[in-house]
Amino acid sequence: MLKKNDEIILTIDNMGNEGEGVARYQDFTLFVKDALPGDKIKAKVMKMKKTYGYARLLEVITPSKDRVIPKCEYARQCGGCQLQHASYESQLKFKEQKVINCLKRIGGIEDAASLMEPVIGMDYPWNYRNKAQFPVGLDKEGNVQIGFYAGHSHNIIDTDVCMIQDKANEKIVAVMRDLVRKNIEALRPYNEHTGEGILRHIITRVGAQTGEIMVCLVINSEDIDENVKSKLVDSLLAIKYSDNKKIVSISLNINRKKTNVIMGDSLKIIYGEDHITDYIKDVRYEISPMSFYQVNPVQTQKLYETALSYASLSGGENVWDLYCGIGTISLFLAKNAGHVIGVEIVAEAIENAKKNALINNIHNVDFHVGSAEDVVVKMYEKSGGLLAADVVVVDPPRKGCDAKLLDTIVKMSPQRIVYVSCDPATLARDVKILSESGYNLEKFRCVDMFGMGSHVETVCLLSKKP
Ligand code: SAH
């Protein structure tokens, strides 16, 4: 019987959902973070359950053919990247397989592999993220810590450098670190356990096409000291970038709750604009600190182009874009559609969406604030069952679509449903519901938005059964 602290030799033969290695040992399944299929390793058992357990990689005895040396010295500790030790090509294979497995096991789509179009990988899977959220804290000795959370914990790895972030962030973190140290009372790092302290997170976002940068400080206070505020603005604005990058917006987000949720509900602009601007292809978008915007701009264009091609619009269609954020997909589709209606729960994002339609001179779109399950279901009921759609696009958060919403979408009887998903398990659950309600999964394609990470984005086309 295996027990904690046993040291064993394992051959990894599979990859788990979060990119961890999976091995069989006697009658147990063992999950080993940082191990890859094909690795022969020495591991130490950390925790055992009845039929499975967790082990820690101690030594790679024979490396997998896919194993590479991580670029980042924190790759193993940091919770940001799960797959830096795997070749990029093998990361893409793993992601495809993960989606196929979910569609088969959860979705009941036996021939999933034959419906897949090849994954769209990144040309350069580094420095791609346009958004960073750095937690701020103090270590036991009282040193300021700014960086990233270690895997499955809230311990901060103190670093200015991250290989998957836009380089612009490094300078911002360095300046902020210095400012916090020198103004430790006014900017005292927040303590999650006691709820004391002021500065919780530093959030940055860069417009890939425009170079416009936003810095948003999440604070556990209504405001910060005026002197420190002006020093902060001056120091951030003094950052010199060699390319077209420039800070155009600095804000405070107020979050006084004892919670894991990073942002609070209110925002104060302390310098410049209340948004940054960016382009995806030729559509221009204004993005506020509290609105969702895809984190990988190069791949986002490919994702939206895939969604557009799956929607097969010919110009007159009545399209719904549910979970529309700042209207990115809605506006991307609008030029090829008759009319587009976007629905999104964050009011600020809908304000952005309406403005974005205006600045792009797009008039065949309407946006509604509210949860998709609420808004669409009510609109359908109010229409007496007449509300219809030719194409429905959904792009929900990880928990997938609400069952009530799926039911209403089916009643609206669209020819095509384009499902954009960031979680293959909930995607497969929803595909199962839709395929039991008159829709066929025609094809799907993964788009890698998260190189070095284990997450995967998928676009699916479902068509109404004849
Ligand atoms: N399609 C957009 C946004 C996708 S992210 C884009 O590509 O940028 C998912 C979005 O769903 C977020 O903007 C989130 O605020 C929103 N959301 C979350 N729950 C929702 C719900 N129940 N109803 C409508 N929108 C929701």
Side-chain angles (χ1 to χ4, degrees):
M1 175 77 188
L2 272 184
K3 53 186 190 320
K4 193 174 167 182
N5 293 331
D6 281 354
E7 291 190 8
I8 49 178
I9 306 294
L10 294 173
T11 301
I12 307 292
D13 46 31
N14 234 319
M15 200 182 261
N17 265 338
E18 291 177 41
E20 71 280 32
V22 183
R24 292 290 297 170
Y25 189 88
Q26 295 166 355
D27 285 334
F28 300 100
T29 302
L30 287 169
F31 297 96
V32 194
K33 193 172 116 19
D34 311 305
L36 278 183
D39 276 344
K40 186 176 172 195
I41 61 164
K42 187 171 169 192
K44 182 171 174 175
V45 177
M46 305 307 288
K47 196 172 171 183
M48 283 309 295
K49 301 271 185 188
K50 259 195 183 144
T51 56
Y52 66 95
Y54 299 91
R56 183 175 160 73
L57 172 67
L58 293 180
E59 186 193 331
V60 177
I61 299 167
T62 317
S64 156
K65 65 175 180 12
D66 298 322
R67 185 168 274 284
V68 296
I69 296 168
K71 271 198 185 189
C72 170
E73 64 175 301
Y74 303 106
R76 191 164 171 189
Q77 293 150 265
C78 182
C81 291
Q82 294 79 36
L83 291 173
Q84 264 203 42
H85 56 289
S87 68
Y88 186 57
E89 207 175 291
S90 70
Q91 294 180 20
L92 296 177
K93 285 255 152 3
F94 153 67
K95 292 180 188 190
E96 287 188 331
Q97 202 51 50
K98 177 156 126 175
V99 177
I100 292 172
N101 290 347
C102 285
L103 285 171
K104 265 190 179 169
R105 284 190 205 145
I106 308 170
I109 312 279
E110 281 308 319
D111 58 345
S114 69
L115 304 177
M116 184 176 74
E117 299 192 298
V119 57
I120 304 181
M122 299 168 60
D123 295 335
Y124 181 71
W126 305 99
N127 302 115
Y128 61 82
R129 276 188 71 102
N130 59 8
K131 180 184 182 187
Q133 306 187 120
F134 303 95
V136 184
L138 289 174
D139 68 7
K140 286 195 189 95
E141 285 79 45
N143 300 311
V144 176
Q145 307 270 293
I146 303 180
F148 298 96
Y149 288 131
H152 299 289
S153 85
H154 273 204
N155 298 332
I156 299 171
I157 297 171
D158 190 43
T159 173
D160 289 352
V161 183
C162 168
M163 302 286 176
I164 60 168
Q165 283 295 336
D166 191 303
K167 289 223 165 287
N169 292 325
E170 292 174 10
K171 293 190 176 177
I172 295 172
V173 175
V175 165
M176 283 305 304
R177 188 186 300 281
D178 190 49
L179 271 163
V180 178
R181 277 191 191 133
K182 290 183 178 148
N183 301 279
I184 195 78
E185 279 317 311
L187 296 174
R188 176 163 289 279
Y190 179 69
N191 180 321
E192 284 187 318
H193 304 292
T194 62
E196 284 161 6
I198 293 181
L199 186 56
R200 300 173 70 129
H201 270 86
I202 302 164
I203 301 179
T204 62
R205 219 178 225 169
V206 185
Q209 298 299 319
T210 57
E212 294 184 7
I213 300 175
M214 158 190 296
V215 181
C216 176
L217 307 180
V218 183
I219 56 169
N220 173 40
S221 154
E222 291 305 318
D223 209 338
I224 50 178
D225 177 89
E226 286 303 320
N227 271 329
V228 173
K229 204 191 286 178
S230 56
K231 262 196 258 177
L232 191 144
V233 170
D234 291 348
S235 314
L236 285 172
L237 294 181
I239 297 176
K240 293 262 181 299
Y241 288 105
S242 55
D243 41 17
N244 67 339
K245 299 211 169 79
K246 188 171 146 203
I247 295 177
V248 301
S249 168
I250 306 176
S251 57
L252 301 176
N253 173 275
I254 291 118
N255 184 359
R256 308 205 64 172
K257 291 193 188 135
K258 235 179 147 180
T259 163
N260 273 345
V261 178
I262 295 180
M263 287 188 126
D265 296 331
S266 68
L267 194 78
K268 274 188 190 163
I269 305 297
I270 59 172
Y271 167 80
E273 308 285 340
D274 61 357
H275 63 268
I276 54 165
T277 311
D278 198 19
Y279 287 85
I280 299 172
K281 221 170 170 185
D282 52 353
V283 187
R284 186 174 154 204
Y285 299 103
E286 287 189 1
I287 310 144
S288 298
M290 283 154 80
S291 301
F292 176 88
Y293 186 60
Q294 297 284 354
V295 296
N296 184 332
V298 175
Q299 293 301 95
T300 297
Q301 180 173 330
K302 298 177 188 165
L303 177 75
Y304 292 172
E305 276 166 349
T306 307
L308 178 63
S309 103
Y310 279 16
S312 306
L313 300 176
S314 57
E317 289 86 354
N318 172 11
V319 180
W320 290 69
D321 175 19
L322 309 178
Y323 308 87
C324 70
I326 60 171
T328 36
I329 296 181
S330 321
L331 300 181
F332 212 79
L333 301 186
K335 289 180 195 164
N336 299 289
H339 192 82
V340 183
I341 300 177
V343 182
E344 156 68 41
I345 203 164
V346 174
E348 215 197 12
I350 286 292
E351 275 172 38
N352 287 154
K354 288 182 175 165
K355 180 92 184 290
N356 290 335
L358 281 181
I359 59 180
N360 288 286
N361 230 342
I362 295 175
H363 302 290
N364 57 337
V365 292
D366 277 315
F367 292 104
H368 298 276
V369 185
S371 77
E373 52 276 22
D374 220 53
V375 171
V376 182
V377 173
K378 282 201 181 118
M379 282 172 87
Y380 182 80
E381 283 166 2
K382 220 169 145 194
S383 77
L386 294 176
L387 194 71
D390 298 312
V391 176
V392 173
V393 179
V394 294
D395 184 6
R398 280 196 208 140
K399 67 172 192 247
C401 294
D402 187 281
K404 268 197 315 230
L405 174 67
L406 291 176
D407 184 49
T408 306
I409 292 175
V410 169
K411 288 184 187 151
M412 289 162 71
S413 195
Q415 286 302 318
R416 289 178 290 289
I417 300 172
V418 179
Y419 197 130
V420 183
S421 158
C422 54
D423 185 321
T426 57
L427 167 71
R429 178 200 68 198
D430 292 350
V431 163
K432 183 157 200 266
I433 297 176
L434 291 169
S435 47
E436 288 164 354
S437 321
Y439 285 83
N440 262 335
L441 177 63
E442 299 283 333
K443 55 182 175 180
F444 67 95
R445 185 159 204 177
C446 303
V447 181
D448 190 26
M449 311 286 281
F450 313 107
M452 309 301 140
S454 59
H455 287 145
V456 56
E457 194 85 10
T458 313
V459 189
C460 286
L461 172 63
L462 294 118
S463 295
K464 199 160 119 183
K465 286 182 191 161

